[in-house]
């Protein structure tokens, strides 16, 4: 399973480094283009995105694939700044894209944009995320809001990594302010229970199951020790293997 193409909170990302030379940036993007790695181009802070891939690299620019939706392609051309998330041989890569223009690449319509001044490249596999609705049948999460400790929240887990997770909570159940901290319990039946502190990096409104108004939170684990990190990674690896076995049946 490869990394999920989601925006990283670059102000709080660990286990990563910036490539900030023109030669280094071009080298990474050439490797990405050579494998036609899937990519997501995010507009307006992640609310809108285009599935794409890096096609080729020039000394001062790079090309990426247009999408099938003319309206969305128009929004890409109108955007002053976007964020592209992709992977270099399964290592997540993220960078800012400025002022794309319409172009052609090897005879096909494409976008062209200046090479980014720098890009973020994750170093650690523990930021790979396990996703899927089956997560909520194999683990349990409880959150105690700092501002409302009597209100025990039981969120729906959207994805999980050793660094954090995405969760959905019905708005009627309570809300977690951005940049706030809350206590949390993760239970992995048959493995262990982890008590940790969550930091709310970002949030947005979503429609949950049956149309229930909710809010999706991207949260970071703040105080995990090495044993807890290893336990989460073991859980992710076990679930990946289980899903692969199920898919082969």
């Amino acid at each position: 399973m490869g990394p999920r193409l989601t925006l990283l909170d670059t102000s709080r990302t660990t286990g990563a480094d910036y490539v900030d030379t023109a030669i280094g940036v071009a080298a990474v993007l050439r490797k990405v283009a050579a494998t036609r790695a899937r990519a997501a181009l995010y507009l307006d802070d992640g609310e809108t995105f285009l599935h794409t891939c890096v096609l080729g690299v020039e000394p001062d620019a790079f090309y990426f694939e247009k999408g099938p939706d003319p309206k969305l392609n128009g929004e890409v051309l109108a955007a002053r700044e976007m964020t592209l998330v992709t992977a270099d041989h399964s290592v997540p890569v993220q960078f800012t894209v400025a002022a794309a223009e319409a172009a052609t690449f090897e005879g096909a319509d494409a976008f062209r944009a200046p090479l980014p001044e720098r890009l973020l490249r994750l170093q650690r596999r523990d930021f790979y995320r396990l996703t899927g609705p089956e997560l909520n049948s194999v683990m349990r999460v409880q959150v105690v809001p700092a501002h409302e400790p009597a209100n025990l929240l039981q969120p729906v887990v959207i994805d999980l990594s050793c660094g954090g997770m995405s969760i959905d909570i019905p708005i009627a159940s309570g809300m977690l302010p951005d940049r706030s901290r809350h206590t949390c319990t993760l239970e992995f039946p048959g493995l262990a229970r982890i008590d940790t502190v969550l930091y709310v990096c970002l949030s947005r409104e979503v429609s949950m199951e049956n149309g229930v108004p909710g809010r999706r939170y991207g949260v970071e684990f703040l105080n995990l020790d090495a044993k807890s990190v290893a336990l989460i990674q073991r859980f992710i690896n076990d679930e990946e293997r289980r899903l692969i076995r199920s898919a082969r049946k």
Side-chain angles (χ1 to χ4, degrees):
M1 179 181 292
R4 189 182 180 202
L5 297 178
T6 53
L7 285 169
L8 303 171
D9 180 9
T10 56
S11 66
R12 303 185 63 81
T13 300
T14 58
D17 65 341
Y18 279 101
V19 178
D20 56 7
T21 66
I23 293 175
V25 168
V28 172
L29 291 187
R30 285 194 181 96
K31 289 193 291 182
V32 171
T35 60
R36 288 295 192 269
R38 65 192 182 98
L41 181 74
Y42 287 89
L43 296 80
D44 55 40
D45 295 323
E47 293 297 322
T48 306
F49 64 92
L50 170 76
H51 289 296
T52 184
C53 68
V54 177
L55 299 172
V57 179
E58 295 179 339
D60 60 351
F62 75 101
Y63 295 84
F64 59 97
E65 189 177 46
K66 290 183 69 174
D69 184 348
K71 180 177 181 297
L72 185 54
N73 289 333
E75 292 180 20
V76 171
L77 292 173
R80 291 185 176 182
E81 189 174 278
M82 301 159 284
T83 303
L84 192 143
V85 184
T86 184
D88 172 16
H89 293 90
S90 297
V91 176
V93 171
Q94 177 171 308
F95 58 90
T96 299
V97 179
E101 62 183 8
T104 59
F105 182 83
E106 295 182 348
D109 290 339
F111 292 115
R112 183 179 184 273
L115 277 185
E117 293 183 359
R118 66 176 187 172
L119 56 81
L120 180 69
R121 191 174 187 273
L122 283 180
Q123 297 172 335
R124 300 190 331 195
R125 184 179 171 85
D126 63 16
F127 276 81
Y128 286 10
R129 292 184 177 268
L130 182 65
T131 67
E134 66 279 352
L135 271 172
N136 296 280
S137 64
V138 294
M139 67 175 292
R140 291 187 293 272
V141 176
Q142 292 183 329
V143 178
V144 179
H147 60 285
E148 200 176 3
N151 185 17
L152 187 64
L153 302 177
Q154 295 181 310
V156 176
V157 181
I158 304 302
D159 60 49
L160 171 74
S161 81
C162 293
M165 58 185 174
S166 295
I167 54 176
D168 285 357
I169 299 175
I171 290 177
S173 297
M175 298 179 65
L176 307 177
D178 287 357
R179 297 179 295 281
S180 60
R181 302 184 183 203
H182 312 274
T183 57
C184 173
T185 298
L186 307 174
E187 292 189 26
F188 303 97
L191 288 178
R193 163 178 165 162
I194 296 174
D195 295 312
T196 185
V197 175
L198 300 183
Y199 177 85
V200 180
C201 300
L202 49 87
S203 65
R204 64 183 177 89
E205 292 186 3
V206 294
S207 179
M208 298 178 62
E209 189 175 359
N210 299 323
V212 174
R215 198 155 188 88
R216 179 162 298 171
Y217 299 90
V219 299
E220 179 184 355
F221 303 136
L222 288 186
N223 62 344
L224 292 185
D225 56 21
K227 180 179 178 181
S228 296
V229 171
L231 189 149
I232 295 175
Q233 187 63 64
R234 174 186 170 188
F235 171 78
I236 290 174
N237 292 341
D238 288 348
E239 282 301 301
E240 286 179 341
R241 286 192 288 267
R242 184 183 66 80
L243 291 172
I244 291 172
R245 289 195 300 268
S246 297
R248 288 174 176 173
K249 292 181 180 178

